[in-house]
C-alpha cells in the first residue's frame, strides 16, 4: 500500500541533527529550501566517502538517484556503454535485463539512466516506499557489482561487435566456407553504436559537439560522451572494465533521496547493503594495486578547467541536406558555482534572442543570414556556456553572423537593454519555477539539478536549488547597469569563445562511406580463422541473448504484488458549468496559486484543404502586432503577465470509427494575482491581430522556423512521425492530424515558402477569414483550473470573451469533409544512418474491443518479446507496442539499423503472445506496472488536458477506472487469447518508415520511396 509518514520534515529534523552520525553517515548541515517546500540535509558516509543529499518534503512521489563523476578521456562512449551495460545483470540479481524487469514489474514513476558530458546518473521514483527499496537494491547492485566482469557479451551487445553478413546460398544461409566468408559484408552492431548513429544524424548535436571541442580542447568536454560511431569500435573490453573500476566506487558517488520516506531506514539500507561492503570495482582495483600498478593510474579521469581560448573560426563537414547548414557561436559564461552570473546570462540571452521580437534575434533575421536563430544556456557543466545557433544558414555567413550579433549587442550596451523585456523574462521564469512542471518526477529533476553545482564542489549540494535569493537580487539589478556590463563582458570582451560553421556535403563524402571502406579493409586484412571467429562470436552472442533466465535467477528479483497497489486516487467529478458566459469545463484541482484557462474552438467550420492554414494561424498569432500593441510590446506583455499562451490544434477521435472533431485550442496560464491578464490577453491576440497587414518578412521568418522545426523532428523523433503517418493510412482522425501537423502539412508548407511572394496576399486574406470564422461562441468550449475565487474573478473580467453568440449557419459548421484514408506504404528518406518504422491501425476497424487486458499485453510485448528481439538482438535503440485506449494499436521501432528484420519480428509477436506462459510473480509484475502507470501523479495542467480530452472525445468518464479494473483482473489466459488478434493487427496495420537512404534501399518491403527533405 502507499506509505506516508505524518510529517517527513519533522521526522528528519529529529533524526538528522548536524554534527551527529546516523548509520555511518555524518550529518554535515541542514538547510531549508523554500523554493521546493523542503529541508535539505547534506551528509557523507565516513567509511566509503559517498556523498548524500536528502530533501525531506511532503511528496509521495519518492525518488532515489546515484550519480558518478565520469568525464571521458576520448570519444569511445565508454561511460554511455557502461550506463547501458551495468543494468544488464549483477551479482545479486543475475538476470539478463533487470532494468527491463523493473519496468515490467514495479510501480515506478521514473526509471532510467542518463549519460551527461561529465557525469552519469541512475535515478528512480515511485509512490510506494517498499518499491523504492526494491528499485534502490537493483540499481545499487547494478552499479557496484555488475555482471560485466564475467559476461563479455554484455559489452558486445550494448557497446559494439562485428557481424559478418554472408552471401545467401540456395538454402537461404551462407555456407561458412572460406570463399563465403571472404564475400561476406563485415559490419558493426551494438545498441549504443546504433543509438549514436541516430543521435549524430542531428546536425545540431554535431554542431554542439564541435563547439564544445573548440571551447574546451584540453578537457573532457572536447569528447563526445555518448560515443562517436567512428570511435566506438576502438574501445576494448579491458578498457571498458578498467573505466568502470576507476569510476563506479562510493568515493566518486553522489546519492540523492527525496520525498516523504523513512530516511532512517533508507540510510541503514545504504550503509549495510552497499556502502560498507566491498564491490566488484573495489576488488578489481585492489587486485591491480597488489599486482604492482601505480595507484595514481587508478584514479578517476580528471575534470579540468579550460584556460580561455578563442577559436576565431572552425569548419566541420557533415553528410546532410543543404537546409541543415548551421553556424554556432559559443560563449563561455564563467563558473558553474557562480549561480547569479549563470542565471543572469540565461535571462539576458533569452531577452535578446528568445523570440522573433527579441532585439538581437530581430537584427540577425533582418540581415537575411539564415532561417532561424536559437540559443540555449548549457548550465550543467563546469564552465557553463551559451550557444547561439543560426539554422538554415546561408553559405559562408559565419563571420557575418558574429559581426551582426556583436554590433547588436554593442548597441544595447551603449543605449541600454529594454527593462520591460528583462523584467518580463524574470517574471516568466518565476512562473515556471512556481509551477514546477519538470516533465518527469520532481525528485529526479531536482537530483539532476543539484549535480549541476554539487559535482564541482562538495559544499554546493544545494546551490542550484536555492534560486529565490538570486532572482530577488537580479530584480534589484534592473535599476543599474548590471545586465549591460554582463553583456559587454560575455560578448564584446570575452576571450573564451568559438565560432563554428557546419557545412553540408554530399552523402558519399560522409561518415557512412568512410565506415564502409574501413570495414571492407578490416575484412580483407582478417585471416579466414578471424572471419570464422566473427561468425562464431555472433552466434554465441545470439545464444546468450536467446537463453532464458533460470527460475532461480528470476526469483532473486524483488517484486511487488497486486495487493501492494493502493486504491485509485479519486478525482473530483468533471463539471460543465453552464452558468459561465461560455460553457466551461470546471476543474477543482490544487494548483499552487496558479490558474489555467483554455478555449476549444470547433474546426468543423474549416474545409479540409484549408486546415494547414489553421496551423499557420496558430503559429502567427502572438508573432504579429494587434490593434492595441506592437509585436514587440505584445511579446513583452505576454512574457511579463502570463506564464504561457499557446495556440495549437488538437484532433479528438470520436466514438464513431469514422468520426473526427478537430479543435483550435487556446491555452494560457497565469499567477493568481494576474487573473485580469489571463482573461484579456488571449482575447486580444485572437480578436485583434492585424492579419491583413501582416509584414511579409515577419511571416516568412515564422514559416521558415516552422519548416526547420518539422525537419528536426523528422530526424530526431522519426518514430512519432512514422506513427502518425502510418495511422493516417486507416484513420480519418489521423488524416486530419497529417493535414494539420504531419507530412502533408510539411509538404504544403514547403510549397508555400517556394511561392511565398506570389501567394502572400492570398495567405493574409485566408488567415483573416479563418480567424473570423473560428473565433466565435458557436461550438466553443471553455475550461478553467484554479480556485473558486480565481474562477469567479476570471469570468468577471472575461465576460463572453468578446465572442458574442456566434452564428452557426454563417460559420459553416459542416464544411469539413475528410478524405477517405488509404495505405500509401511510404518510406521517407531523411539524412540519417538509421531508421524509424511504425505500423498502426484503429482496432475498431477489426472489430476489436481494446480493454485493460490489452494494456497488460502491450507491456508484455514491449518489454519482453519486442525488447529482446528488436533491441537486444537487432540493435535498435527502442521499440514497442501500443494499445492506447480503444482507438489505436501500433508497433514502432526507434533508431533501428534495419527495416525488414524488425518487420519480420513484429509479424511473429502474436505467435509469441499466444504461447505466453509467465510465472505468477512475473505476470503480477506486468499488472502492477500497468496500473501504477495509470496511478502516477500528474501535474495540474496535464491532468486538466487529459480530462478535457475525455469529455471532447466522447469517452466514458468512467473509462479509466473501468480500464484499471480490467488490468487488475487480467489473466495469462486472457492475454494468450489476444495472440491471434495481435497477429491480425501486425498483418493488416499499414507500415511507414523514416530513415536513411541506404537503410531503406536494403529493404525488400516494396515501399514507395520519397525524398522528404529535398
Amino acid at each position: 500500500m502507499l506509505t506516508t509518514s505524518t510529517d517527513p520534515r519533522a521526522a528528519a529534523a529529529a533524526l538528522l541533527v548536524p554534527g551527529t552520525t546516523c548509520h555511518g553517515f555524518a550529518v554535515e548541515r541542514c538547510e531549508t529550501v523554500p523554493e521546493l517546500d523542503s529541508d535539505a540535509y547534506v551528509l557523507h558516509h565516513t567509511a566509503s566517502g559517498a556523498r548524500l543529499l536528502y530533501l525531506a518534503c511532503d511528496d509521495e512521489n519518492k525518488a532515489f538517484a546515484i550519480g558518478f563523476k565520469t568525464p571521458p578521456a576520448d570519444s569511445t562512449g565508454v561511460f554511455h556503454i557502461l550506463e547501458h551495460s551495468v543494468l544488464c545483470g549483477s551479482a545479486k540479481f543475475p538476470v539478463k535485463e533487470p532494468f527491463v524487469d523493473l519496468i515490467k514489474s514495479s510501480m515506478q514513476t521514473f526509471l532510467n539512466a542518463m549519460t551527461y558530458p561529465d557525469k552519469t546518473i541512475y535515478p528512480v521514483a515511485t509512490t510506494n516506499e517498499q518499491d523504492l527499496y526494491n528499485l534502490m537494491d537493483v540499481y545499487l547492485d547494478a552499479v557496484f557489482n555488475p555482471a560485466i566482469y564475467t559476461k563479455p557479451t554484455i559489452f558486445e551487445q550494448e557497446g559494439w561487435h562485428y557481424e559478418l553478413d554472408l552471401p545467401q546460398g540456395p538454402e537461404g544461409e551462407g555456407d561458412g566456407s572460406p570463399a563465403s566468408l571472404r564475400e561476406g559484408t563485415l559490419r558493426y552492431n551494438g545498441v549504443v553504436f546504433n543509438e549514436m548513429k541516430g543521435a549524430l544524424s542531428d546536425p545540431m548535436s554535431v554542431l554542439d559537439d564541435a563547439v564544445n571541442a573548440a571551447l574546451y580542447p584540453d578537457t573532457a568536454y572536447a569528447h563526445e560522451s555518448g560515443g562517436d560511431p567512428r570511435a566506438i569500435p576502438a574501445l576494448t573490453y579491458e578498457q571498458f572494465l578498467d573505466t568502470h573500476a576507476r569510476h563506479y566506487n562510493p568515493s566518486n558517488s553522489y546519492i540523492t533521496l527525496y520525498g516523504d520516506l523513512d530516511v532512517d531506514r533508507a540510510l541503514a539500507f545504504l550503509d549495510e547493503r552497499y556502502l560498507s561492503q566491498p564491490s566488484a570495482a573495489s576488488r578489481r582495483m585492489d587486485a591491480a594495486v597488489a599486482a604492482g600498478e601505480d595507484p595514481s593510474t587508478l584514479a578517476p579521469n580528471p575534470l579540468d578547467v579550460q584556460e580561455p581560448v578563442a577559436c576565431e573560426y572552425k569548419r566541420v563537414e557533415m553528410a546532410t541536406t543543404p537546409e541543415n547548414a548551421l553556424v554556432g557561436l559559443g560563449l563561455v559564461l564563467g563558473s558553474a558555482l557562480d549561480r547569479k552570473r549563470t542565471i543572469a546570462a540565461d535571462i539576458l540571452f533569452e531577452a535578446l534572442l528568445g523570440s522573433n521580437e527579441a532585439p538581437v534575434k530581430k537584427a540577425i533575421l533582418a540581415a537575411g543570414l539564415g532561417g532561424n536563430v536559437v540559443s540555449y544556456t548549457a548550465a550543467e557543466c563546469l564552465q557553463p556556456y551559451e550557444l547561439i545557433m543560426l539554422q538554415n544558414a546561408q553559405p559562408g555567413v559565419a563571420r557575418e553572423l558574429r559581426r551582426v550579433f556583436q554590433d547588436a549587442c554593442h548597441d544595447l550596451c551603449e543605449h541600454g537593454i529594454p527593462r520591460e523585456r528583462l523584467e518580463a523574462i524574470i517574471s516568466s521564469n518565476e512562473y515556471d519555477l512556481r509551477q514546477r512542471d519538470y516533465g518527469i518526477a520532481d525528485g529526479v529533476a531536482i537530483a539532476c539539478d543539484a549535480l549541476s553545482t554539487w559535482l564541482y564542489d562538495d559544499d554546493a549540494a544545494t546551490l542550484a536549488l536555492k534560486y529565490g535569493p538570486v532572482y530577488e537580487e537580479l530584480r534589484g539589478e534592473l535599476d543599474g547597469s548590471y545586465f549591460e556590463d554582463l553583456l559587454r563582458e560575455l560578448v564584446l570582451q570575452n576571450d573564451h569563445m568559438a565560432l563554428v560553421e557546419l557545412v553540408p556535403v554530399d552523402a558519399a563524402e560522409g561518415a557512412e562511406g568512410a565506415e564502409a571502406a574501413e570495414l571492407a579493409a578490416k575484412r580483407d586484412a582478417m585471416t579466414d580463422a578471424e572471419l570464422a571467429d566473427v561468425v562464431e562470436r555472433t552466434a554465441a552472442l545470439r545464444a546468450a541473448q536467446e537463453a532464458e533466465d533460470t527460475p532461480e535467477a528470476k526469483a532473486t528479483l524483488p517484486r511487488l504484488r497486486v495487493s501492494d497497489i493502493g486504491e485509485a486516487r479519486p478525482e473530483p467529478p468533471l463539471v460543465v458549468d453552464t452558468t459561465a458566459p461560455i460553457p466551461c469545463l470546471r476543474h477543482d484541482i490544487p494548483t499552487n496559486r496558479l490558474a489555467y484557462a483554455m478555449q476549444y474552438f470547433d474546426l468543423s467550420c474549416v474545409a479540409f484543404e484549408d486546415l494547414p492554414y489553421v496551423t499557420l494561424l496558430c503559429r502567427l498569432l502572438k508573432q504579429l502586432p494587434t490593434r492595441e500593441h506592437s509585436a514587440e510590446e505584445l511579446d513583452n506583455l505576454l512574457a511579463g503577465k502570463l506564464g504561457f499562451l499557446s495556440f495549437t490544434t488538437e484532433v479528438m477521435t470520436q466514438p464513431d470509427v469514422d468520426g473526427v472533431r478537430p479543435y483550435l485550442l487556446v491555452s494560457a496560464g497565469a499567477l493568481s494575482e494576474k487573473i485580469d491578464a489571463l482573461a484579456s490577453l488571449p482575447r486580444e491576440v485572437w480578436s485583434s491581430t492585424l492579419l491583413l497587414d501582416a509584414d511579409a518578412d515577419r511571416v516568412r521568418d515564422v514559416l521558415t522556423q516552422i519548416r526547420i522545426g518539422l525537419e528536426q523532428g523528422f530526424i530526431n523523433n522519426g518514430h512519432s512521425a512514422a506513427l502518425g503517418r502510418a495511422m493516417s493510412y486507416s484513420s480519418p482522425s489521423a488524416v486530419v492530424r497529417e493535414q494539420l501537423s504531419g507530412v502533408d502539412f510539411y509538404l504544403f508548407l514547403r510549397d508555400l515558402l517556394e511561392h511565398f511572394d506570389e501567394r502572400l496576399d492570398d495567405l493574409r486574406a485566408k488567415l483573416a477569414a479563418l480567424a473570423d470564422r473560428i473565433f466565435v461562441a458557436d461550438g466553443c468550449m471553455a475550461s478553467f483550473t484554479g480556485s473558486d475565487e480565481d474562477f469567479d474573478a476570471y469570468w468577471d473580467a472575461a465576460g463572453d470573451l468578446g465572442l458574442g453568440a456566434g452564428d452557426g449557419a454563417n460559420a459553416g459548421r459542416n464544411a469539413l469533409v475528410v478524405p477517405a484514408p488509404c495505405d500509401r506504404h511510404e518510406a521517407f528518406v531523411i539524412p540519417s544512418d538509421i531508421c524509424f518504422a511504425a505500423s498502426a491501425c484503429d482496432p475498431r476497424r477489426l472489430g476489436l474491443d481494446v480493454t485493460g487486458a490489452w494494456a497488460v499485453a502491450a507491456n508484455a510485448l514491449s518489454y519482453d518479446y519486442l525488447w529482446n528481439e528488436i533491441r537486444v538482438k537487432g540493435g535498435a535503440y527502442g521499440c514497442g507496442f501500443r494499445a492506447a485506449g480503444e482507438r489505436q494499436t501500433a508497433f514502432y521501432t526507434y533508431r533501428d539499423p534495419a527495416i525488414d528484420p524488425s518487420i519480420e519480428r513484429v509479424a511473429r509477436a502474436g505467435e509469441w503472445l499466444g504461447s505466453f506462459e509467465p510465472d505468477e510473480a512475473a505476470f503480477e509484475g506486468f499488472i502492477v506496472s500497468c496500473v501504477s502507470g495509470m496511478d502516477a501523479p500528474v501535474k495540474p495542467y496535464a491532468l486538466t488536458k487529459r480530462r478535457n480530452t475525455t469529455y471532447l472525445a466522447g469517452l466514458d468518464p468512467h473509462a479509466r477506472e473501468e480500464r484499471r479494473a480490467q488490468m487488475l483482473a487480467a489473466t495469462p489466459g486472457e492475454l494468450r487469447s489476444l495472440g491471434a488478434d495481435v497477429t491480425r493487427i501486425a498483418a493488416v496495420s499499414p507500415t511507414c518508415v523514416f530513415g536513411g537512404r541506404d537503410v531503406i534501399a536494403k529493404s525488400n518491403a516494396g515501399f514507395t520511396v520519397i525524398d522528404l527533405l529535398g
Side-chain angles (χ1 to χ4, degrees), residues 367 369 396-407 499:
L369 305 179
V397 299
R399 292 178 177 86
E400 182 64 8
L401 169 69
R402 180 172 58 196
R403 185 194 67 77
V404 172
F405 175 71
Q406 291 179 335
D407 285 352
L499 180 68

Side-chain angles (χ1 to χ4, degrees), residues 164-184:
L164 189 65
D165 295 331
L166 301 178
Q168 299 295 299
E171 303 300 321
E173 297 289 342
D175 58 16
S177 66
S180 174
L181 294 172
R182 285 283 157 208
E183 293 175 7

Side-chain angles (χ1 to χ4, degrees), residues 486-497:
L486 181 62
L487 181 61
R488 187 176 291 107
E489 291 174 21
L490 295 179
V491 175
L492 305 180
Q493 301 170 353
N494 199 336
D495 60 354
H496 199 167
M497 53 76 64

Side-chain angles (χ1 to χ4, degrees), residues 606-617 738-741 744-745 748-749 767 770:
V606 179
F608 180 79
E609 59 272 17
D610 288 340
L611 288 176
Y613 292 98
V614 176
T615 301
L616 299 186
L617 175 65
E738 284 293 291
Q739 188 80 338
L740 286 166
S741 59
D744 290 335
F745 171 74
F748 160 86
L749 180 62
L767 295 174
L770 282 172

